Amino acid sequence: MLPITLRVKSQFDIVMQITSQRLGRSIDRRVGMVERAGRLEPRTDAPSPGRPSADPVPGTGRNPVPRPVPAKAATIYDVAQAAGVSHQTVSRFLKGFAGIRPETREKVERALDELDYRPNLTARSLKSGRSHRIGALTHELSNVGPSRVAEGASAAARECGYVLDLVSLDARSAGEIERSLDLITQHELAGVLALSSTDEMTRAFETTEFRVPVFIDAESDDAVTGRRSGLAQVGIPALIDHLAELGHRSFLHIAGPPMWRAARNRILAYDRELEARGLHSAGVLPGDWSARSGYEAIAALPRLPEATAIVAANDQTALGAMLALKERGVRIPEDISVVGIDDIPESPYFDPPLTTVHIDFEMQGRASVYRLIAQIEHAESRPVVVPPPRLVVRRSSGPAAHA
Amino acid sequence: MLPITLRVKSQFDIVMQITSQRLGRSIDRRVGMVERAGRLEPRTDAPSPGRPSADPVPGTGRNPVPRPVPAKAATIYDVAQAAGVSHQTVSRFLKGFAGIRPETREKVERALDELDYRPNLTARSLKSGRSHRIGALTHELSNVGPSRVAEGASAAARECGYVLDLVSLDARSAGEIERSLDLITQHELAGVLALSSTDEMTRAFETTEFRVPVFIDAESDDAVTGRRSGLAQVGIPALIDHLAELGHRSFLHIAGPPMWRAARNRILAYDRELEARGLHSAGVLPGDWSARSGYEAIAALPRLPEATAIVAANDQTALGAMLALKERGVRIPEDISVVGIDDIPESPYFDPPLTTVHIDFEMQGRASVYRLIAQIEHAESRPVVVPPPRLVVRRSSGPAAHA
DNA sequence: ACACGCAATGTTATCGGCAACATCCTTGGT
DNA sequence: ACCAAGGATGTTGCCGATAACATTGCGTGT
């Protein structure tokens, strides 16, 4: 029998619990049994035995119970009083100041524990003028790249004792960037990070006066900085090498939106690498990172491209392009090879699985945060090893079809 | 092409403060941060003297250009002085207090402008005890669902004058949740949001003492609350209806990880709807939302499933399943229909394009934020219309192959 | 024994706003 | 013209922490 009686806590329960200390029944872990490969017995019980009436809205529509205000949080003054010392002693203890007599230390420690003291970072940063918050602007979180970068950044920040304020916005709208920047800089920030670099973003960052360190994350810098291990220096060359070795001589690129540095970077590298090898580019089609744009770029072509290999700006675009090709009767990779960039988790499961360049976005995000924090703390940046982009050969690329 | 000159604003004033404090590194377990001895060389800096341009980290290797130090941010006192009024008058003006003489108003306005005053929210929330920050915990940002929810939430919060503190973590690790919760609640938060609801997450929220409103976002509530417009009530029934109409009688479900409420919800609804129609479930295979798990679920099957329709827990899983099927010589949809849930942007470009249920994640995120803010402000929630899930029929579903 | 010095702790000022209360200056009614 | 009422504005204290300065107490050199 299947115990999938989910007793889902509504927020009401939570509120109650908070206010009254009532111990909620813990959610059962019986659900684990679903795993049992094979059958899941139909459950016979009604969804919510205990709760008859339907809730018209998601996540409970109950009125917020006017919460009796929970006891105020303890301050160092409360702690000091409880311990019979001065607040400054408490403060010293909290900062790990060494010169405190053991007995005093113990009293403080006990009081701290008893009152469940938690520091008020607001007050701290008001006085000290420094906070441990990092503002981060990003765009299109739903794409793998940006979101991975954000995750990495968030994790790195947390590890360093910082909190990342992630603001997701339309990085192409100057106005929105401006507004967001305006909003977040009112909070005491230790630094600001731009995780998506579009022209608008860099422009906004250049024209805004920050009084804290800022950092612009950009994979794309490498075309400009000549960094040796980046996508443009390593990843794309490897990709082109791979295709060239398969005998491809004529290529097509479906680009990302030009306002993105990463997109321009990829175009640049594509061009440069072809040229360096004496290969031919049949053109660069506009795209916007989306599968849709890849599909349409190909579908809109008056006739099939002469190119035998298509380099898409990212995996999604490659996906769209592949579908359009298949619909026109092109076999991949027998007739045309298609490759992407990014290596999103789904690309191994495309049909055919996609040859692409793996990028470690998470590390990239971490690196940015470390950099920024180094600036903030005037310390050396923690050394980060961002693994270089790596060619991943799958089945979407094959020997060039030579007439 | 564009000169990417990163102008990093220097922060001399902050530098000064940091230097003055010299504490051996002391680890405060409560705060979770490490103070490090601040080291400072007055701007003769060549931070990496010996190091040439081999920059190990992406994103500009340039040194922060020491810019002319921007004066400290103006406070209401500065403004007051400049305007020749008292700081309170400035404060009143800022709050839109009506009773201010036009001429006074103008003076203030001018001073405000001149000094480029920007309120210090830290100070504000210190005094008022209320902030406009919402902490949000989420997981797997790189998945479309969570990231869209996060984006919606972030946007909604911003529109309401709040900032969303997005913390991305492993929602399955109780420890990590605990730690994150600990960290973010030290900041003066107006409320806390759980955007991913796993068992660990709800458990953590139940056992933590918040003194602010909390809200757990959960599409999944509807199986339990009987909400009439949710995925389980509308979306999945529509999906099953669609397949039933095509003549399918035997189904297979590839589930999401059972610790996720959304996953359980989908299983429940799948079971319930089949049963209600007298259809047959050939089983529920374990999965974890990923394309890989979809692929493996099918690939590991000793023989092809008897089912003629496969309902995957989400689109990625469906993608993986489709590839595995195709590799086993199954045609989609002629032999077996495959459907997903979520309608990620790529699913129209799968091969074949995926029949799925569209979910408006962004709205869901917005709704959660509105809810929370309503609680925070003890107001009625702004009415949000979350569009009900909607069946999207594409080519991966077709008439059942009847022997 | 006395001053001195440093260690341990206490006291006061401060960060930038907000709120309560105080004060001054208009008005208007008579 | 006078006073009350209220409108406009100024003053003071507080939020919770940190920083600078002040004080106590004890050991030590002479």
Side-chain angles (χ1 to χ4, degrees), chain A residues 296-318:
Chain A
E296 289 178 354
I298 298 300
L301 247 33
R303 51 194 161 68
L304 283 178
E306 48 177 309
T308 59
I310 297 180
V311 179
N314 68 358
D315 291 357
Q316 285 91 335
T317 306

Side-chain angles (χ1 to χ4, degrees), chain B residues 190-220:
Chain B
V192 181
L193 212 52
L195 292 182
S196 314
S197 62
T198 59
D199 291 346
E200 276 71 23
M201 196 76 109
T202 37
R203 184 148 36 229
F205 268 65
E206 276 170 10
T207 55
T208 306
E209 286 252 339
F210 295 94
R211 35 178 63 82
V212 294
V214 303
F215 190 84
I216 302 188
D217 173 272
E219 144 211 318
S220 38

